[in-house]
Amino acid sequence: MPQTTPLARRPNPYIRLFRTPGARAFTLGNLVARLPMGMFSVSAVIMIAGARGSYALAGAVTATGLAATALVAPWTARLVDRHGQARIALPATAVAVCGSLVLLLCVHFGAPDWTLFAAYAATATTPNTGGMSRARWAHLHRDDPAALHTANSLEQAADELCFMLGPVAAAFLCSALFPEAGTLVGTVLLMTGMLLFTAQRATEPPAAPRTPAAKSPLRARGFAPLLAVFLATGVVFGSLEVVTIAYADGLGHPSAAGGVLALQAAGSCVAGLLYGTVRPARDMSGRLVGCVGAMTVLMCLPLLTARTGGSLAALAAALLCAGAATAPTMVTGMTLVQRRTPEGQLNEGMTLAVTAILGGIAVGSATGGQVIEQAGADMGYLVPVCAAAVALVVSVAGSGRYAAPPRR
């Protein structure tokens, strides 16, 4: 007679999750390594703009780093799958840390502008820390969908927390200490966290040497539509950030934009944790459609608030509510990515998803900026609504492909 899983009987599934041997240790190390992901770009902008007096240069340098990451990250993840996390992630992190330190020195000592681009491009070797943590959970709970659902929700909440606290910490360090402090502290945290994380060898997924018959996750059934959903969701994130900054500036409160955006991330973080306590759906493709549909509806709230001339407090409340649907969308999408990705290529599959999100953020930032210039900040909130609607259409169109048997 089959036994009921302990996770299903316990009122708080997170307690059960952290009773997994080694889970607390690798989660702590990964959180320390992940926090700088929200610090580096803000720190670089403040540091470069302060020293060179050009936000255009600072933005171009960080954009170059983002483009380099989009190209390099899938290859780094493929090596992690093939040779193991500790063997690849540590040297890759060391290269990225050196790139950040070289950038700091080039800015401090007035090196030519081209050196800033070269140094920041070297940081593209930074491993996908969140993806490696999710891969460990997938390895530990490969036969327990409920536990894996809770773990994915925890990881999404951790992402939101780091991207909520990271920019605040970077801005504080750069202003309270010295302009290079954010980058310096970020590199220390990244290297320390990665050392702690990779030291937990008992929970590390086994390496999966690539065979001649192995194919890219991009060729897996249903994977491309999932990437399209992530791309559109990235447009939502990127446009929301730019438009909110412009709207706050238009109201005469530019410094409050960070706090307002933090509320959106906080709403997503709380929603992610709560979503982890919900029983995973049998039909994950249907759940994804429902989550994206909820995101589309809730993204209308900031638009309505801005169009009716709402105050910054009203906008903050609208963004808090809007953030409640993004984490469930990401959790469900990542669960489907794990199911669609061929065996032994999990890090590569999740990194491709993250790369799609980053690409969407870049498109969303550019599109949001164009709409602001042409129609004003209030109409700018139409961009995330349209992007969420596109994600909904794609998720509905691709739901049949997601429903194929999961990877074995």
Side-chain angles (χ1 to χ4, degrees):
M1 179 178 176
Q3 295 182 345
T4 304
T5 175
L7 188 61
R9 295 199 304 262
R10 294 187 179 275
N12 189 339
Y14 293 102
I15 295 176
R16 170 75 173 92
L17 196 66
F18 281 110
R19 284 179 177 167
T20 305
R24 282 174 288 185
F26 85 71
T27 300
L28 176 62
N30 191 269
L31 281 174
V32 174
R34 203 186 306 191
L35 180 61
M37 299 301 105
M39 296 175 61
F40 281 130
S41 61
V42 174
S43 298
V45 168
I46 295 174
M47 179 174 64
I48 296 171
R52 303 295 172 94
S54 172
Y55 279 100
L57 175 62
V61 170
T62 55
T64 298
L66 183 64
T69 299
L71 293 173
V72 175
W75 293 97
T76 304
R78 181 176 295 182
L79 291 174
V80 168
D81 284 326
R82 189 181 302 181
H83 301 290
Q85 293 184 353
R87 189 174 177 184
I88 299 299
L90 273 179
T93 300
V95 171
V97 165
C98 288
S100 292
L101 293 177
V102 169
L103 174 69
L104 185 155
L105 293 173
C106 288
V107 173
H108 185 76
F109 290 105
D113 289 350
W114 68 265
T115 62
L116 309 186
F117 290 91
Y120 204 67
T123 65
T125 61
T126 305
N128 179 7
T129 51
M132 290 193 298
S133 186
R134 287 178 173 91
R136 293 202 179 205
W137 289 119
H139 169 64
L140 294 171
H141 298 292
R142 54 192 176 275
D143 298 320
D144 190 345
L148 186 55
H149 168 73
T150 302
N152 283 334
S153 299
L154 174 70
E155 291 298 323
Q156 185 59 37
D159 280 342
E160 299 291 350
L161 184 66
C162 290
F163 281 99
M164 180 172 60
L165 297 180
V168 176
F172 173 77
L173 289 168
C174 293
S175 59
L177 299 179
F178 48 91
E180 298 88 355
T183 299
L184 185 60
V185 171
T187 57
V188 172
L189 288 175
L190 176 60
M191 198 70 236
T192 302
M194 193 58 68
L195 286 168
L196 292 172
F197 177 75
T198 54
Q200 313 307 316
R201 302 300 291 268
T203 56
E204 181 179 348
R210 198 172 182 86
T211 63
K215 298 179 180 178
S216 168
L218 289 170
R219 302 181 66 179
R221 177 180 172 86
F223 198 88
L226 277 174
L227 290 188
V229 172
F230 281 119
L231 180 67
T233 304
V235 175
V236 172
F237 297 154
S239 57
L240 265 184
E241 181 175 344
V242 171
V243 176
T244 299
I245 292 172
Y247 189 80
D249 188 37
L251 292 178
H253 303 288
S255 61
V260 173
L261 288 168
L263 280 177
Q264 190 265 339
S268 185
C269 179
V270 172
L273 291 173
L274 292 175
Y275 188 63
T277 65
V278 177
R279 181 176 299 178
R282 291 178 180 271
D283 178 15
M284 292 302 293
S285 60
R287 175 70 66 84
L288 179 64
V289 171
C291 289
V292 177
M295 181 174 69
T296 304
V297 172
L298 290 176
M299 283 299 153
C300 294
L301 294 177
L303 175 63
L304 293 174
T305 302
R307 289 295 292 162
T308 55
S311 65
L312 203 58
L315 179 66
L319 286 172
L320 180 66
C321 295
T326 55
T329 298
M330 294 293 296
V331 171
T332 307
M334 280 296 182
T335 301
L336 284 168
V337 165
Q338 290 169 348
R339 294 186 179 187
R340 297 296 99 217
T341 303
E343 194 73 40
Q345 296 176 272
L346 197 53
N347 283 290
E348 183 180 355
M350 288 189 290
T351 299
L352 286 170
V354 172
T355 300
I357 294 170
L358 292 177
I361 290 174
V363 172
S365 298
T367 306
Q370 288 294 322
V371 174
I372 291 167
E373 291 291 329
Q374 298 296 325
D378 57 340
M379 286 301 295
Y381 283 108
L382 190 60
V383 178
V385 175
C386 292
V390 170
L392 177 59
V393 171
V394 174
S395 65
V396 171
S399 59
R401 298 177 67 83
Y402 311 146
R407 67 182 179 89
R408 296 294 181 188

